[in-house]
Amino acid sequence: MSTEVLAHGLGGRTDLPLNGAAAVVGGALAVAVSFLALVALWSKPWLDPEAGRPVRFPVRPDRLLGAARIAVLLLAVFVVAVGAFGPAETNRNLAPWVLFVTFWVGLIPVSVLFGPVWRAVNPLRTLLRLLRLGRAPRPLPAWLGYRVAAAWLLGFVWLELVAPDRADPRLVTALIVGYAVVNLAAAARYGPVWFERGDGFEVYSTLLARFSPLGRRADGTVVLRNPLAGLVRADPVPGLAGLACVLIGSTAFDGFTRTSWWQALRNASGLPDVLVGSGGLLVCVAGVSALYFGSMRLSARLSGSAEPPAARFAATLLPIAVGYGVAHYFSFFVIEGQQPFILAGDPFGTGLDLFGSAGNVPDHSVLSPEWWRWCRSTRSCSATSRAPPPRTTRRCGCSTRAARESASCRWCWRWCS
């Protein structure tokens, strides 16, 4: 039996430990000042995705990538095996922790710092090569764009935030295998290009990588560049705006479920939690989408544009999505991210203690409460000031309720979750 789970698939967090009015006023001032600064200081385009200083690697990148791909594939097989044959309890099986913490949340810092890492080591791409599939691909319909990837991500955040028993190791294993089979079948039909458009996690990592200081020019040269330069590439792929709205809307929904208003609504509805949660998630995503696409249509009408600029401005949503993601998941990643390494010492529950971590618990004192407060109150506010205008003129916690209620974790739950 799996233990009771909360938000984020495994653990939860509470509201920001700041006075609500102070947080709202401070955020509004930060946004206002940032936009005034953009108007005054950013009068001409200066971000060029082709600029940057070439990077030289001490080891041939192709050899490094080959070893990394095999290692990630073996690690993925190991996680699936542990999920299928390891302990049935969530707090003893590392598979759910690897999926919801190490992988899902860890994709943000890894992709932002080092580029499209998941595209380079995606185990599904490695399996496609090993199985010799997709050698005579059919053309991928252009209208699909990122729409399939957006649907995958919406399904995943529903699993993470709403689905009952979402951290059950056997369920996690079945979903990983099912996801792999469906995407491999699609890649066998359309070739490796399917992963660039239809694999939700690869698309997510690749979009995050636009913020990376490591980029690649059109000629394939890896360069050290301005971290925002990747956002100005003119590639309005269908579905990009919808995908960004899914990321922002789901994060907004997760924060909304922490309010007393939501708890009262859920209790008063008399409906199953999964129905209320599913409806709330869809409403939040639909609300963000309506605001964005509605404002784009209004902008087109006021400017006399022949078509709404939704696709052109879609990349400006990415900094907001990333900023909210960092503010929302950072404490969760730092605290609960220790659990997979603790559980790795005895992955199959046989009594092993490979790393001397048996009985260890996550260390909640790694950072001070003041640091948590500052991080969470500034990340989401500053995100809105990082979205560059589109290029136009030149090239350019404590996871279980029992733990949460223990005296040793109350401080952490209040300040760090």
Side-chain angles (χ1 to χ4, degrees):
M1 298 292 292
S2 63
T3 60
E4 179 183 359
V5 293
L6 303 169
H8 301 143
L10 290 161
R13 38 180 295 283
T14 58
D15 291 331
L16 182 71
L18 283 176
N19 177 275
V24 171
V25 172
L29 289 176
V31 172
V33 171
S34 66
F35 275 97
L36 288 175
L38 284 175
V39 172
L41 303 177
W42 203 335
S43 58
K44 60 182 180 180
W46 52 271
L47 293 176
D48 185 356
E50 295 298 314
R53 182 177 302 174
V55 177
R56 295 184 178 180
F57 296 93
V59 182
R60 288 179 55 183
D62 54 344
R63 293 182 179 178
L64 214 63
L65 280 178
R69 286 166 182 157
I70 296 300
V72 172
L73 175 61
L74 293 176
L75 181 60
V77 172
F78 171 73
V79 170
V80 169
V82 172
F85 304 109
E89 298 85 359
T90 298
N91 60 354
R92 295 181 57 218
N93 193 303
L94 65 81
W97 300 89
V98 170
L99 175 64
F100 290 114
V101 185
T102 308
F103 175 65
W104 173 242
V105 184
L107 268 183
I108 299 177
V110 170
S111 301
V112 169
L113 292 175
F114 303 109
V117 174
W118 193 244
R119 182 175 65 190
V121 300
N122 190 342
L124 297 183
R125 285 182 177 268
T126 306
L127 278 177
L128 191 73
R129 296 188 192 98
L130 293 177
L131 298 176
R132 300 180 180 275
L133 299 174
R135 303 226 165 173
R138 299 184 181 183
L140 184 68
W143 61 268
L144 277 179
Y146 289 140
R147 292 188 173 98
V148 176
W152 277 123
L153 290 177
L154 180 60
F156 182 81
V157 295
W158 178 85
L159 170 70
E160 179 198 20
L161 303 175
V162 177
D165 299 322
R166 50 194 174 269
D168 181 270
R170 309 303 185 239
L171 175 62
V172 166
T173 302
L175 292 175
I176 293 175
V177 173
Y179 182 87
V181 169
V182 171
N183 280 279
L184 278 174
R189 180 182 180 89
Y190 296 110
V193 71
W194 169 261
F195 298 116
E196 299 175 12
R197 294 288 185 264
D199 183 344
F201 298 114
E202 180 170 317
V203 169
Y204 180 51
S205 173
T206 302
L207 292 178
L208 293 174
R210 294 191 180 192
F211 297 88
S212 175
L214 291 174
R216 191 181 293 274
R217 293 177 182 167
D219 61 3
T221 303
V222 178
V223 296
L224 189 64
R225 66 183 184 185
N226 186 306
L228 296 179
L231 292 174
V232 299
R233 290 190 180 277
D235 54 348
V237 179
L240 175 58
L243 189 148
C245 289
V246 167
L247 297 176
I248 297 173
S250 61
T251 304
F253 168 73
D254 193 14
F256 183 59
T257 58
R258 303 290 166 255
T259 64
S260 57
W261 190 89
W262 170 262
Q263 301 299 330
L265 175 65
R266 189 184 65 176
N267 295 333
S269 68
L271 297 173
D273 286 348
V274 65
L275 292 181
V276 178
S278 300
L281 175 62
L282 291 177
V283 167
C284 286
V285 173
V288 171
S289 302
L291 285 173
Y292 175 71
F293 287 100
S295 63
M296 290 296 100
R297 289 186 177 275
L298 179 61
S299 175
R301 180 176 300 180
L302 294 177
S303 63
S305 176
E307 58 180 280
R312 180 182 172 192
F313 283 87
T316 64
L317 293 174
L318 296 178
I320 300 173
V322 172
Y324 286 175
V326 171
H328 198 70
Y329 284 108
F330 187 81
S331 61
F332 177 72
F333 182 66
V334 171
I335 298 298
E336 304 295 357
Q338 302 171 45
Q339 192 69 17
F341 299 98
I342 295 174
L343 296 175
D346 184 18
F348 292 97
T350 58
L352 290 176
D353 189 11
L354 298 176
F355 311 118
S357 58
N360 288 359
V361 296
D363 181 8
H364 300 95
S365 63
V366 289
L367 292 172
S368 67
E370 291 76 15
W371 199 95
W372 295 115
R373 179 184 305 181
W374 174 86
C375 176
R376 292 196 40 211
S377 62
T378 56
R379 287 290 186 267
S380 56
C381 296
S382 61
T384 57
S385 66
R386 295 175 183 170
R391 184 181 60 188
T392 57
T393 60
R394 69 180 177 106
R395 269 194 323 112
C396 327
C398 306
S399 59
T400 64
R401 175 174 295 178
R404 191 171 85 242
E405 291 176 350
S406 67
S408 62
C409 291
R410 287 173 188 163
W411 179 90
C412 155
W413 195 258
R414 179 181 177 187
W415 293 103
C416 304
S417 326

